[in-house]
Short mmCIF file of all heavy atoms in Angstrom, two decimals:
data_model
loop_
_atom_site.label_atom_id
_atom_site.label_comp_id
_atom_site.label_asym_id
_atom_site.label_seq_id
_atom_site.Cartn_x
_atom_site.Cartn_y
_atom_site.Cartn_z
N PRO A 113 -13.26 -76.08 117.80
CA PRO A 113 -14.49 -75.74 117.08
C PRO A 113 -14.72 -74.23 117.09
O PRO A 113 -14.82 -73.61 118.15
CB PRO A 113 -15.58 -76.48 117.88
CG PRO A 113 -15.02 -76.60 119.25
CD PRO A 113 -13.52 -76.67 119.13
N PHE A 114 -14.80 -73.65 115.93
CA PHE A 114 -15.05 -72.22 115.79
C PHE A 114 -16.55 -71.97 115.58
O PHE A 114 -17.28 -72.84 115.08
CB PHE A 114 -14.29 -71.65 114.59
CG PHE A 114 -12.81 -71.69 114.74
CD1 PHE A 114 -12.07 -72.77 114.25
CD2 PHE A 114 -12.12 -70.65 115.36
CE1 PHE A 114 -10.70 -72.81 114.37
CE2 PHE A 114 -10.74 -70.69 115.49
CZ PHE A 114 -10.02 -71.77 114.99
N ASP A 115 -16.98 -70.78 115.97
CA ASP A 115 -18.34 -70.34 115.62
C ASP A 115 -18.28 -69.93 114.15
O ASP A 115 -17.82 -68.84 113.82
CB ASP A 115 -18.74 -69.16 116.50
CG ASP A 115 -20.15 -68.68 116.19
OD1 ASP A 115 -20.90 -69.43 115.54
OD2 ASP A 115 -20.49 -67.54 116.57
N MET A 116 -18.75 -70.82 113.27
CA MET A 116 -18.46 -70.67 111.84
C MET A 116 -19.73 -70.59 111.01
O MET A 116 -20.74 -71.24 111.31
CB MET A 116 -17.61 -71.85 111.37
CG MET A 116 -16.98 -71.66 110.00
SD MET A 116 -15.90 -73.05 109.57
CE MET A 116 -14.71 -72.98 110.91
N GLU A 117 -19.66 -69.78 109.98
CA GLU A 117 -20.73 -69.69 108.98
C GLU A 117 -20.14 -70.02 107.62
O GLU A 117 -19.09 -69.48 107.24
CB GLU A 117 -21.33 -68.28 108.96
CG GLU A 117 -22.50 -68.14 108.00
CD GLU A 117 -23.12 -66.76 108.07
OE1 GLU A 117 -23.63 -66.39 109.16
OE2 GLU A 117 -23.10 -66.05 107.04
N LEU A 118 -20.78 -70.92 106.91
CA LEU A 118 -20.34 -71.34 105.59
C LEU A 118 -21.46 -71.09 104.60
O LEU A 118 -22.62 -71.42 104.86
CB LEU A 118 -20.00 -72.84 105.58
CG LEU A 118 -18.95 -73.31 106.59
CD1 LEU A 118 -19.12 -74.80 106.85
CD2 LEU A 118 -17.55 -73.01 106.11
N SER A 119 -21.12 -70.50 103.47
CA SER A 119 -22.13 -70.31 102.43
C SER A 119 -21.51 -70.65 101.09
O SER A 119 -20.35 -70.33 100.83
CB SER A 119 -22.67 -68.88 102.44
OG SER A 119 -21.64 -67.94 102.23
N PHE A 120 -22.28 -71.31 100.23
CA PHE A 120 -21.76 -71.73 98.94
C PHE A 120 -22.90 -71.88 97.94
O PHE A 120 -24.07 -71.99 98.30
CB PHE A 120 -20.98 -73.04 99.06
CG PHE A 120 -21.75 -74.18 99.65
CD1 PHE A 120 -22.41 -75.09 98.84
CD2 PHE A 120 -21.85 -74.35 101.02
CE1 PHE A 120 -23.12 -76.15 99.37
CE2 PHE A 120 -22.55 -75.40 101.58
CZ PHE A 120 -23.19 -76.31 100.75
N GLY A 121 -22.53 -71.89 96.68
CA GLY A 121 -23.53 -72.05 95.64
C GLY A 121 -23.11 -71.36 94.36
O GLY A 121 -22.01 -70.81 94.27
N PRO A 122 -23.98 -71.38 93.37
CA PRO A 122 -25.29 -72.03 93.37
C PRO A 122 -25.16 -73.55 93.28
O PRO A 122 -24.18 -74.06 92.75
CB PRO A 122 -25.97 -71.47 92.12
CG PRO A 122 -24.84 -71.16 91.20
CD PRO A 122 -23.71 -70.72 92.08
N VAL A 123 -26.14 -74.26 93.82
CA VAL A 123 -26.16 -75.72 93.79
C VAL A 123 -27.43 -76.18 93.09
O VAL A 123 -28.52 -75.71 93.43
CB VAL A 123 -26.12 -76.30 95.22
CG1 VAL A 123 -26.33 -77.80 95.18
CG2 VAL A 123 -24.78 -75.98 95.87
N ALA A 124 -27.31 -77.05 92.13
CA ALA A 124 -28.47 -77.68 91.50
C ALA A 124 -28.56 -79.10 92.04
O ALA A 124 -27.64 -79.88 91.89
CB ALA A 124 -28.32 -77.71 89.98
N SER A 125 -29.65 -79.42 92.70
CA SER A 125 -29.78 -80.73 93.32
C SER A 125 -31.16 -81.30 93.03
O SER A 125 -32.16 -80.58 93.04
CB SER A 125 -29.57 -80.64 94.83
OG SER A 125 -29.71 -81.90 95.44
#
Side-chain angles (χ1 to χ4, degrees):
F114 294 94
D115 181 16
M116 193 176 301
E117 183 177 299
L118 303 158
S119 59
F120 56 95
V123 172
S125 180

